[in-house]
Amino acid sequence: MILEKETRYLQNRLLPDSAAPLFSQAKKFEELMMVYSCAIREVRTKLEVLNDELSVRYNRNPIEFIKTRVKKPLSIAKKLEQRGCEVSIESVQNNLNDVAGVRVICCFIDDIYDVARWLAKQDDIKLLEVKDYIRHPKPNGYRSLHLIVEIPVFFSEGKKKMKVEVQIRTIAMDFWASLEHQLRYKKDLHDIEDSEAIGEELRQCAETIAKTDIQMQSIREKIGVFTELT
């Protein structure tokens, strides 16, 4: 059992042979990752400006904090492989929407949809896809609103339109997702004898947290603060 765990650990971290094309064009790949980083910066700036405006104008901060990341080369190669796609620089841009990721953490459920609406209506943002895992949670209990947006990034040689995945969730949803990820993927949950029962416990925790989110939203509405922007 220990040997199997060690083997799987190494397999998950070793660079697959198919990833070689990415590193054979290291300069181009580095440039592509730079462009994704700039796209993240553009989206983050828009969200921060929005939050600052609402803070001054309405004494309201719908965004608690923002996290960003660019997917690592190993993760990129493995995801392309899993999808049966060629592992190349062109394939990254054509087949993956989540290389650039922005996670927005809000206090209340209503804030999630407000932030998504405000972001999507900006005239240089194109909304490509929406996955609502709040109204339709994943089987394991995961909740979040996922947007794929396209944003122009301006460089000395011209404009490039880049895709960014924006995940918007409450503090409670983020708390559950972070801990669930650690327990499920970093502790080899599938090797545990009663893994199904543990998975059900985690799902039940997600349900409890979701009910708390709804209750907090209800309390805010009863108090009557920060419920409208007029």
Side-chain angles (χ1 to χ4, degrees):
M1 181 64 73
I2 294 177
L3 181 59
E4 290 178 3
K5 288 184 179 180
E6 291 176 345
T7 301
R8 183 166 53 254
Y9 178 89
L10 290 173
Q11 288 175 342
N12 287 338
R13 287 157 179 80
L14 289 175
L15 190 67
D17 293 338
S18 59
L22 296 180
F23 291 89
S24 65
Q25 304 179 58
K27 185 63 176 178
K28 287 185 178 180
F29 185 73
E30 181 183 7
E31 289 178 359
L32 178 61
M33 293 300 100
M34 178 273 295
V35 174
Y36 276 119
S37 294
C38 292
I40 285 175
R41 197 180 310 160
E42 292 281 353
V43 173
R44 178 167 192 152
T45 298
K46 286 179 173 294
L47 291 165
E48 290 174 341
V49 168
L50 174 65
N51 213 36
D52 288 347
E53 177 207 353
L54 295 173
S55 176
V56 172
R57 185 170 295 182
Y58 302 105
N59 194 29
R60 176 184 179 186
N61 290 98
I63 299 173
E64 188 70 13
F65 57 93
I66 300 171
K67 303 176 184 177
T68 64
R69 67 103 181 96
V70 176
K71 195 177 280 292
K72 296 179 180 178
L74 178 57
S75 297
I76 291 172
K78 288 190 173 182
K79 191 159 188 176
L80 287 172
E81 268 196 318
Q82 290 168 0
R83 294 188 173 186
C85 300
E86 177 189 10
V87 179
S88 67
I89 290 176
E90 292 73 20
S91 184
V92 173
Q93 298 177 82
N94 294 333
N95 297 301
L96 298 183
N97 294 331
D98 62 345
V99 175
V102 177
R103 184 173 299 159
V104 184
I105 312 301
C106 299
C107 294
F108 298 95
I109 297 173
D110 280 358
D111 291 336
I112 293 173
Y113 294 101
D114 284 342
V115 169
R117 185 177 71 255
W118 291 324
L119 180 65
K121 75 178 184 180
Q122 298 195 25
D123 56 14
D124 59 344
I125 288 272
K126 183 177 181 180
L127 181 62
L128 301 178
E129 184 179 334
V130 178
K131 291 183 179 179
D132 192 340
Y133 296 116
I134 299 173
R135 294 191 174 103
H136 307 285
K138 289 187 178 182
N140 68 342
Y142 174 86
R143 287 168 169 81
S144 185
L145 181 67
H146 290 198
L147 312 177
I148 303 298
V149 301
E150 186 178 74
I151 185 168
V153 185
F154 295 86
F155 297 96
S156 59
E157 297 181 352
K159 177 178 67 176
K160 293 185 179 181
K161 294 182 178 180
M162 302 300 297
K163 296 175 184 177
V164 178
E165 182 186 58
V166 182
Q167 299 179 359
I168 315 175
R169 58 180 69 157
T170 64
I171 298 170
M173 293 173 192
D174 190 58
F175 160 77
W176 180 89
S178 297
L179 294 187
E180 194 270 352
H181 178 78
Q182 289 187 35
L183 293 172
R184 184 175 295 277
Y185 295 103
K186 296 188 179 180
K187 298 298 181 182
D188 291 321
L189 183 61
H190 57 277
D191 288 334
I192 301 175
E193 187 175 343
D194 55 348
S195 60
E196 289 188 10
I198 293 174
E200 177 59 22
E201 283 191 68
L202 288 170
R203 191 193 65 78
Q204 289 176 7
C205 287
E207 293 294 330
T208 300
I209 288 172
K211 290 177 182 177
T212 302
D213 256 339
I214 293 171
Q215 188 173 6
M216 294 299 290
Q217 178 73 43
S218 176
I219 291 171
R220 184 177 83 160
E221 291 170 359
K222 288 175 182 176
I223 294 173
V225 293
F226 307 147
T227 55
E228 294 182 0
L229 295 179
T230 56

